Amino acid sequence: MTTLHHISIAALALMPLLGTAPPCNAAPPPGDIAPDTTFPERMRWFADAKSGMFIHWGLYSIPAGVHWNNPADKGHAEWYVETTKMPMSEYEKFADQFNPLKFDAEKWAQIAQDAGMKYLCITSMHHDGFAMFPSKVSDRDNWSLSRTPFGKAGRDPLMELKKACEKRGIKFCLYHTIMDWHSPLYGARRPTNDVANNSGIQPDTNKFQEYLEASVLEEIERYHPAMLWFDGNWEGCWTLENGKHLEAAIRKADPLVIINNRVGKGNHAKLDKNMLGDYLTPEQQIPAQGFGKGVAFEACMTMSGHNYWGINKADFDAKSVKSQQTLMNFLFDLSAKGGNMLLNVGPTAEGEIPDFCVPNLKGMGDWLKVNGQAIYGSRAGIYSRQPAWGRTTTKRLQNGNTRVYAILFEAPKDGVLNLEGLTNTPVKATLLDGGAPLAAQSKDGGVLVTLPATLAGKKNFVVAVDVAGEVAAEVALDLTPKADKDGVFALRPRHAATENGMALQGEGDAENLGFWTSKAGTATWTFTTPAARSYKLEVACGAENASDGSVIEFVSGNQVLPLTIKATGGWEKMTTLQAGTLKLPAGENKIVARAKTVNGIAPCNLGTLRLVPVK
Ligand code: H79
C-alpha cells in the first residue's frame, strides 16, 4: 500500500474522534449503479467528478507574457517575475494596478458548468507569493489583494467565485504555492528579490513553515475549499518533514479537505514513497496507464495551445487553443485510465475568461449532457493499454454485473464494435444517445456489438454494454504492429510504450506523441520481424519554429540513427523525414526514440514511424 492511500485511511479513522459527522459528500449512485468503496470518504466526489476547471489568475496576468525590458520577448506567463528577472520591487507595482472590473464570478462558474465541470480550482497564491484574497497573513508583507484597487473597493473574487460555484453544485478548490519568490522567510530566496534583501530579514525555514501554515489555515477558515492543490514543492528548502507537518495541520482543521500529492516530495506523476496527500498529479501529460484501484490521479492540462497557465498574448488566437476534440480526447483517455482532467484557463487582467476558450468548453459540455454517464462516476476501463478505436470506462452494477462504456472516436467501417479480449457474457447493449437495443454476442474471445448502419460517419458516441459479473483485471488487447503485404511496418504512436512524460494525443491520422518536454522522454516500439533484413526508417514529425535543428535518435540494439528535425510550422503538422537504414534480425525487435539536442520546449511531436524493407 502506498503512503498516499495509507494517509487517507489514517485521517478517516480520526474523524469520529473529532466528533464531527462528515457531511455526506458523495451523491448516491443513480439507479442500478453500485457504490464504490475503494476510495476513502473524502475522495468519493473527486473520483466521480472526472472534470474540473483550473484557473491561473494573478498579477502576472497584467503583463500577459511580455518582457518588461524587452517587448519583443513575449514568452512568459505565470513565472513572469522569475523568467524575466524583474526586480521584485518593480513586480510589486502590478499590485497597485490590479483592478479586474470585468470579473463576473457568475459568468466564470457558468462557463465551468456549461463545460460539464464538477470542480474548480483557482490560484489563491502562485509562486510570486501574492495572496489573491484579502489575507491578514500576507498583509503583514503588504502582499495581498488588500493592496490592489479591486481589494480596496471591497471585492473578494475568490469568495464571489466560491458562491457562484456552490450555487451550481461545483466544488470550490484552491491552488497554493509552497515555493515563494516574495516572502523574505523563504529558504531559497531569489537574487532578484530586492524587497526581501532590503528587509533585513533572513530566510528561515521554520518561520516560513509557520507563515505558510497560517496562510493555508486562513484560507480553510475563510473559504472551506473542498481541495487544496499545492505546487512548487521541489526546492531543497521544502522537506518531507515540512510536508507532513503541513498536511497534519490541514487534516486537523478539516479532515474532509482533499490534498494533492505535491504537499510531499518526490515524483508527482508516479507512486513515490516520499509522496504525501491523496492523489497523484501528472502535469501536461497523461500517463500511459492508470495507477490501479483506489489510487486517484488528476492530469492538469492547459487549454493554451502554447502550454501557458497564466494568460499570454500569443494565446489570443483561436487557432492555437486546444480544440474541442482534443479536450474531449483528454477526458476520454483520462477516464479510461481512472483519472481526472483539470483543464486550465488563464483569464485576462481585466477579469475575463478569453472568448476563444468558451465554445470548445461548451462543446465538450454539450457532449457530456448526452453521454455524461460514461464519464461521471465511472472507473477505469477494461484495457490497460488503449485500443485504436476509442476508450472504455466501467461501472459496477448492483446486480453484480459490469457496465462497459465503449467511447468510439468514429463509427467502425465494418459496423461492428469489437471488445477484443472481453470474455464476459454480454447481457445488453445500448447507444447512450438513444435507439433500440443492439445485438451483442461473444465471439472469438471477445464481445461483438452490431451497430446500426445509420451510425456511419458518426463521431464520439458511446455504446453501453452490460456484461455478466466482474471484468478481469487484465483484458488482452494485442497492440503489436504487424507488417502489411509489402512487408512494411507502420509503428503508430499508439503502439509505443512511453516514458517520462511523452504522451499520446490526437486521433486517427492525426494521432501523435507529444509533450516531449523532458530530455528523458522516450517512446519504445516492440514488434516481430519474419526474417533478418534491412529497413529504411521513415519518421513523421511536426515541430514549431523554435525546435528547428533539434536532434532525436532512434536506437535499436547497438544501432543509433540520429535525425535532425526541421520545423514544420506546428507540432501536429507532420512531414516525413528519412532517418536512415536499420538492419534488423529475425524475431522480436525494439526501436527507442530519444532526444539528443532539444531546441525550444521539445524537439518535435512524433507521428507514425514506417519501416520499409530495402529491396
Ligand atoms: O502552476 C503551473 C505552473 O506554473 C507550475 N505548475 C502548474 C500547475 C509549474 N511549476 N513548475 N513547473 C510547472 C515546471 C517547471 C517548468 C519550468 Fe519554466 C521550465 C520552469 C522554468 C523552466 C515554464 C517554462 C515555466 C517557466 C518557463
Side-chain angles (χ1 to χ4, degrees):
M1 199 46 54
T2 64
T3 316
L4 186 86
H5 201 187
H6 193 77
I7 296 261
S8 312
I9 288 165
L12 258 186
L14 268 179
M15 273 197 281
L17 295 177
L18 295 170
T20 43
C24 185
N25 247 350
D32 52 352
I33 308 298
D36 175 1
T37 53
T38 53
F39 290 96
E41 179 63 22
R42 69 167 165 276
M43 291 302 291
R44 225 43 93 56
W45 73 261
F46 184 86
D48 289 346
K50 290 288 174 285
S51 176
M53 177 177 275
F54 212 176
I55 301 183
H56 276 66
W57 195 43
L59 300 183
Y60 45 79
S61 309
I62 296 173
V66 181
H67 194 294
W68 54 285
N69 201 19
N70 176 13
D73 173 7
K74 300 179 169 68
H76 308 273
E78 75 288 350
W79 275 56
Y80 189 87
V81 67
E82 173 97 337
T83 55
T84 68
K85 304 260 175 286
M86 189 182 215
M88 187 51 85
S89 55
E90 286 299 313
Y91 187 76
E92 280 197 344
K93 293 176 185 163
F94 289 132
D96 305 321
Q97 293 171 34
F98 189 71
N99 199 17
L101 291 173
K102 291 185 180 161
F103 171 73
D104 178 348
E106 293 289 328
K107 230 177 179 170
W108 287 19
Q110 194 58 44
I111 291 171
Q113 186 178 30
D114 289 345
M117 288 159 162
K118 304 294 188 191
Y119 62 111
L120 181 150
C121 182
I122 184 166
T123 46
S124 62
M125 185 185 287
H126 203 262
H127 306 328
D128 61 8
F130 182 77
M132 283 290 284
F133 64 102
S135 159
K136 293 197 182 71
V137 175
S138 297
D139 282 348
R140 287 183 224 153
D141 295 331
N142 192 20
W143 198 228
S144 93
L145 191 84
S146 312
R147 173 175 176 166
T148 68
F150 205 57
K152 284 184 178 142
R155 299 288 295 272
D156 177 351
L158 299 195
M159 189 62 79
E160 293 171 29
L161 197 53
K162 173 191 163 68
K163 290 190 174 142
C165 282
E166 290 178 354
K167 214 160 97 183
R168 293 167 173 82
I170 295 173
K171 300 275 183 187
F172 183 72
C173 313
L174 294 173
Y175 170 109
H176 196 107
T177 186
I178 290 170
M179 175 166 74
D180 190 320
W181 300 326
H182 185 274
S183 170
L185 300 173
Y186 184 63
R189 185 187 296 174
R190 287 3 194 206
T192 47
N193 190 355
D194 54 347
V195 176
N197 289 342
N198 294 333
S199 69
I201 301 171
Q202 293 309 310
D204 183 322
T205 49
N206 290 333
K207 284 191 185 152
F208 179 75
Q209 174 100 21
E210 279 170 30
Y211 151 81
L212 174 60
E213 283 181 12
S215 174
V216 171
L217 292 177
E218 185 184 16
E219 280 176 8
I220 293 177
E221 196 175 318
R222 192 176 173 97
Y223 299 104
H224 300 287
M227 181 256 275
L228 284 165
W229 211 106
F230 290 102
D231 199 7
N233 58 333
W234 50 81
E235 297 199 320
C237 55
W238 185 254
T239 65
L240 190 58
E241 289 312 308
N242 291 130
K244 284 180 180 163
H245 201 277
L246 173 58
E247 186 180 31
I250 298 165
R251 298 283 188 231
K252 191 166 161 223
D254 184 349
L256 283 181
V257 177
I258 295 174
I259 306 174
N260 78 340
N261 63 341
R262 300 190 188 191
V263 71
K265 296 292 285 184
N267 188 324
H268 48 244
K270 287 198 171 120
L271 287 169
D272 188 307
K273 65 178 174 18
N274 291 326
M275 179 172 53
L276 303 172
D278 294 313
Y279 71 93
L280 287 79
T281 52
E283 175 168 333
Q284 295 285 49
Q285 52 165 296
I286 298 178
Q289 300 185 3
F291 302 91
K293 245 191 191 152
V295 183
F297 78 97
E298 169 205 69
C300 54
M301 312 295 284
T302 56
M303 226 180 138
S304 155
H306 304 93
N307 302 329
Y308 293 118
W309 298 92
I311 187 71
N312 178 292
K313 287 194 177 139
D315 282 336
F316 279 86
D317 161 16
K319 285 198 298 287
S320 79
V321 71
K322 285 168 193 159
S323 69
Q324 179 191 325
Q325 186 67 55
T326 296
L327 306 184
M328 288 184 11
N329 291 346
F330 288 164
L331 187 59
F332 298 163
D333 198 19
L334 283 160
S335 300
K337 293 167 181 172
N340 286 11
M341 170 175 76
L342 185 62
L343 183 65
N344 183 74
V345 297
T348 63
E350 292 72 40
E352 289 184 300
I353 293 177
D355 282 346
F356 55 77
C357 292
V358 178
N360 300 356
L361 290 169
K362 168 102 174 31
M364 174 166 62
D366 289 345
W367 186 89
L368 283 162
K369 277 193 187 127
V370 178
N371 299 287
Q373 60 163 295
I375 304 293
Y376 305 124
S378 72
R379 297 294 177 259
I382 61 174
Y383 299 119
S384 60
R385 294 188 65 197
Q386 303 306 321
W389 50 260
R391 293 293 182 267
T392 66
T393 61
T394 58
K395 283 181 190 171
R396 289 309 304 279
L397 303 181
Q398 271 168 3
N399 64 10
N401 289 344
T402 304
R403 184 160 296 156
V404 178
Y405 295 96
I407 306 168
L408 287 84
F409 297 135
E410 214 168 328
K413 298 245 159 25
D414 61 0
V416 178
L417 163 65
N418 181 1
L419 293 170
E420 191 185 328
L422 182 61
T423 52
N424 305 58
T425 307
V427 178
K428 176 173 115 182
T430 50
L431 283 162
L432 284 196
D433 57 4
L438 307 175
Q441 53 167 322
S442 286
K443 208 180 165 196
D444 302 331
V447 170
L448 302 185
V449 182
T450 310
L451 304 173
T454 48
L455 280 183
K458 194 172 161 89
K459 287 185 158 56
N460 305 312
F461 63 95
V462 181
V463 185
V465 187
D466 286 7
V467 298
E470 199 172 349
V471 174
E474 261 312 311
V475 176
L477 181 67
D478 185 4
L479 285 175
T480 324
K482 311 267 184 317
D484 69 9
K485 62 178 179 3
D486 302 318
V488 176
F489 284 91
L491 309 179
R492 294 180 60 187
R494 72 179 54 253
H495 297 141
T498 55
E499 291 272 9
N500 299 318
M502 280 187 90
L504 183 66
Q505 56 183 346
E507 290 311 327
D509 294 340
E511 101 187 16
N512 65 86
L513 296 170
F515 300 103
W516 204 348
T517 50
S518 157
K519 223 177 158 184
T522 60
T524 303
W525 287 265
T526 307
F527 54 99
T528 303
T529 46
R533 76 187 296 176
S534 295
Y535 291 88
K536 279 213 160 79
L537 176 62
E538 301 176 354
V539 179
C541 48
E544 289 204 333
N545 291 346
S547 300
D548 197 66
S550 294
V551 180
I552 59 175
E553 291 179 331
F554 294 91
V555 183
S556 190
N558 54 11
Q559 303 170 81
V560 180
L561 298 182
L563 178 65
T564 303
I565 301 300
K566 305 245 176 319
T568 58
W571 296 117
E572 305 199 350
K573 225 170 140 186
M574 298 282 157
T575 49
T576 299
L577 300 178
Q578 303 293 333
T581 304
L582 284 174
K583 252 176 121 167
L584 300 178
E588 187 177 283
N589 282 281
K590 280 187 195 301
I591 294 183
V592 182
R594 66 184 187 201
K596 180 133 195 288
T597 310
V598 180
N599 298 333
I601 60 170
C604 63
N605 281 14
L606 281 178
T608 295
L609 270 47
R610 277 165 48 90
L611 284 170
V612 184
V614 178
K615 295 265 151 58

